[in-house]
Amino acid sequence: MSAPDEENIVADIIERARALDPTNARKWFEQLRVLHFDGGSIDIGCPDEASSRFLEENCRSVFTRAAQQITGHLVTVDFHVNGAEGSSEPIPAESGPALHPDYTFDNFVVGPSNRLAHASCIAVSQSLGNTYNPLFLYGNSGLGKTHLLHAICHEARKRSPGIVIQLLSCEDFVNRFIRAIEQGNVTSFHSQFRTVGALIIDDIQFLREREQSQEEFFHTFNALYNNGRQIILTADSPPTEIPSLEDRLISRFNWGLVARIDPPSYETRVAIVQKKAHLRDLPIGEEIAEYIARQVQANIRELEGALTTIYALAVTSKEPVTIELAQRALEGQIKLAARHISITDIIEVVTRHFDVRLTDLQSKRRSQSITTPRQICMYMARTLTKHSLEEIGGHLGGRDHTTVMHACAKIAEEKQSDPKMNALLTELTRQVTQAKPA
Ligand code: ADP
Ligand code: MG
């Protein structure tokens, strides 16, 4: 037990950190304790691994600043998992994936758009391997797939603390497989994945075109499935629409339950904003929550971003959160959404930049000098307009939706891996949006 003045110090630091950065503050900060404090450093004890990791990743600098202001010393802050009061059991060694502390079922708002996905995740988490196997969730980015995967893990671990669960992104799976091949370690790779209680892979669409990884995953899947082990996968589209995925994988992904997540309704969005504010202990009026829910519609990550932007502005301007302040904070974002960008606008900018003609883009030509701008048009149309894959394909020479999907995925990947492509897309987007004043 810490001395009383140390307890006060942590409460003061938390209060100060909350004021400095309200959006990363959480209600559970109340459970933090001082483990050790001398003139130069403060060790803060966290209830579990997930909370310690969250603080480490998001709050280190703000806690340090707060601690320095409170103590008047140049102290450093460290976070440790401890046996703080009210904490859960000690975590077994080799406890599996690091989970986000916010991504629990309690913090997930259920509505018509995600009801089936949520219910199936609850069922699976209560009895791994015995209900829906595999469970396949799909939906656009930012609709809660990763959140649900973490929630399953939190719940399953609570029920059976010793359970071995592998949760990782598909990209991680592929990279670890490649490394195992390079290092001649494929056997240990097999045992790492084929003996777990549950294998959870996020964004499985990343397997497309990776033939050897698909082969490996096929055998992993079979080994787990035949032993009644739980498999859970997510993707941005249903199994049949993931381009260049082997048929035998597609059919296996359909063996269990495939659940779609749709964009949330207005009412669900309001409830999510309120839930997120509550989690951060931010006071939020109904009017503000409704305002945010009206402005941001398609992506919950952006809904959360809007909340953050508003409260960040309130802190920097030292003003209360009012509708007027919220409007000011979101002005830039809304302007972008209000500009009705058309595929023609995009084609115009892209053809000008690459010095090609629209008829080239619509032709069957497959030289790189034509395919790259064609694919960039598809990607930008997908991200900047609300047109369907079919409509986008229609504008570019009647290409089918899988071609468009493939192009979007390819450019999205290059954007990640190639800084030049990233810069080019930023510039082209700037040109398209500038040509369309709000
Ligand atoms: P995806 O993996 O589908 O791209 P995430 O799971 O990363 O989406 O969700 C993006 C953000 O939106 C996360 O912060 C998550 O907590 C939040 N979120 C998504 N759906 C919900 C929901 N129904 N209730 C509460 N938060 C949600
Ligand atoms: Mg995700």
Side-chain angles (χ1 to χ4, degrees):
M1 203 53 217
S2 321
D5 58 333
E6 291 187 356
E7 286 304 331
N8 288 341
I9 278 181
V10 81
D12 289 347
I13 293 173
I14 291 168
E15 197 187 319
R16 183 64 60 95
R18 192 182 285 287
L20 290 169
D21 182 10
T23 55
N24 274 319
R26 293 291 183 275
K27 252 190 144 72
W28 51 259
F29 282 5
E30 293 158 4
Q31 297 174 37
L32 302 178
R33 297 285 177 266
V34 171
L35 294 178
H36 172 83
F37 171 46
D38 60 36
S41 66
I42 301 180
D43 289 341
I44 294 185
C46 318
D48 53 31
E49 188 67 42
S51 52
S52 148
R53 208 175 104 112
F54 176 85
L55 287 162
E56 193 66 56
E57 286 178 1
N58 303 292
C59 309
R60 172 178 284 289
S61 70
V62 80
F63 266 68
T64 306
R65 214 149 33 103
Q68 294 180 349
Q69 291 178 5
I70 297 291
T71 61
H73 296 293
L74 274 180
V75 290
T76 57
V77 175
D78 280 305
F79 304 106
H80 303 270
V81 180
N82 75 334
E85 278 166 358
S87 75
S88 45
E89 276 94 74
I91 300 181
E94 195 55 52
S95 59
L99 301 179
H100 195 301
D102 290 352
Y103 292 177
T104 60
F105 284 126
D106 279 349
N107 290 335
F108 191 85
V109 176
V110 184
S113 58
N114 57 29
R115 197 177 303 284
L116 174 65
H118 173 261
S120 55
C121 288
I122 294 261
V124 162
S125 72
Q126 293 178 345
S127 182
L128 292 176
N130 294 321
T131 51
Y132 310 112
N133 202 17
L135 173 62
F136 190 103
L137 306 176
Y138 74 93
N140 286 344
S141 171
L143 296 184
K145 300 182 295 295
T146 301
H147 184 138
L148 284 171
L149 295 185
H150 284 230
I152 293 175
C153 283
H154 279 296
E155 182 64 28
R157 264 203 206 158
K158 225 187 290 168
R159 288 177 171 262
S160 15
I163 183 119
V164 180
I165 301 178
Q166 276 277 8
L167 178 155
L168 72 171
S169 68
C170 185
E171 187 173 2
D172 213 8
F173 179 86
V174 170
N175 289 339
R176 280 158 75 166
F177 178 52
I178 293 172
R179 220 173 317 130
I181 296 173
E182 280 168 5
Q183 298 172 347
N185 253 345
V186 175
T187 322
S188 82
F189 181 87
H190 289 168
S191 62
Q192 210 180 347
F193 288 101
R194 296 184 189 180
T195 56
V196 294
L199 176 63
I200 307 183
I201 299 198
D202 206 359
D203 293 319
I204 197 79
Q205 73 272 6
F206 194 80
L207 273 186
R208 108 192 87 77
E209 286 175 5
R210 292 176 169 76
E211 293 104 19
Q212 210 182 338
S213 296
Q214 289 193 25
E215 169 89 25
E216 175 63 25
F217 185 71
F218 174 74
H219 294 296
T220 307
F221 184 105
N222 291 342
L224 292 170
Y225 187 86
N226 292 336
N227 284 315
R229 306 295 169 83
Q230 182 70 47
I231 301 158
I232 308 170
L233 308 167
T234 72
D236 58 1
S237 45
T240 41
E241 286 180 25
I242 299 175
S244 328
L245 190 67
E246 290 178 18
D247 286 342
R248 56 183 186 171
L249 281 177
I250 295 177
S251 77
R252 275 166 180 73
F253 292 172
N254 281 310
W255 278 355
L257 179 73
V258 176
R260 187 177 76 198
I261 307 184
D262 287 314
S265 65
Y266 169 72
E267 291 79 1
T268 307
R269 296 200 302 279
V270 174
I272 290 174
V273 172
Q274 282 166 336
K275 177 72 98 180
K276 297 285 175 191
H278 182 72
L279 199 64
R280 291 163 178 72
D281 225 358
L282 299 171
I284 186 163
E286 217 156 278
E287 213 190 354
I288 302 282
E290 288 170 0
Y291 174 74
I292 298 176
R294 272 196 307 275
Q295 301 306 328
V296 186
Q297 308 195 344
N299 182 322
I300 298 170
R301 197 174 291 120
E302 285 170 21
L303 205 60
E304 229 176 320
L307 186 70
T308 306
T309 309
I310 292 170
Y311 281 82
L313 179 64
V315 170
T316 49
S317 67
K318 298 197 169 55
E319 289 172 61
V321 174
T322 58
I323 283 286
E324 185 275 325
L325 175 120
Q327 280 170 342
R328 229 180 326 131
L330 299 189
E331 216 168 27
Q333 296 179 19
I334 293 162
K335 267 193 195 142
L336 194 62
R339 291 172 182 149
H340 291 291
I341 293 166
S342 68
I343 299 184
T344 318
D345 300 329
I346 293 170
I347 291 175
E348 221 174 270
V349 166
V350 174
T351 48
R352 194 174 343 119
H353 176 86
F354 285 93
D355 198 17
V356 293
R357 287 167 308 171
L358 172 59
T359 46
D360 293 330
L361 298 186
Q362 292 174 330
S363 72
K364 297 251 174 299
R365 288 176 54 195
R366 303 192 57 159
S367 62
Q368 177 121 38
S369 61
I370 301 297
T371 45
T372 303
R374 186 186 290 138
Q375 290 177 333
I376 287 178
C377 281
M378 292 175 177
Y379 171 84
M380 290 178 68
R382 191 70 182 145
T383 50
L384 297 175
T385 75
K386 292 206 173 1
H387 288 292
S388 68
L389 295 167
E390 288 76 12
E391 287 166 336
I392 296 170
H395 274 79
L396 291 156
R399 289 177 157 80
D400 71 13
H401 74 283
T402 53
T403 309
V404 179
M405 212 153 51
H406 171 80
C408 294
K410 178 162 173 287
I411 298 296
E413 205 174 298
E414 280 178 36
K415 179 171 185 273
Q416 290 257 319
S417 61
D418 177 4
K420 268 199 217 131
M421 178 58 90
N422 190 18
L424 174 62
L425 290 172
T426 309
E427 172 54 24
L428 294 174
T429 304
R430 193 190 61 76
Q431 289 181 20
V432 171
T433 48
Q434 238 178 24
K436 292 293 248 186

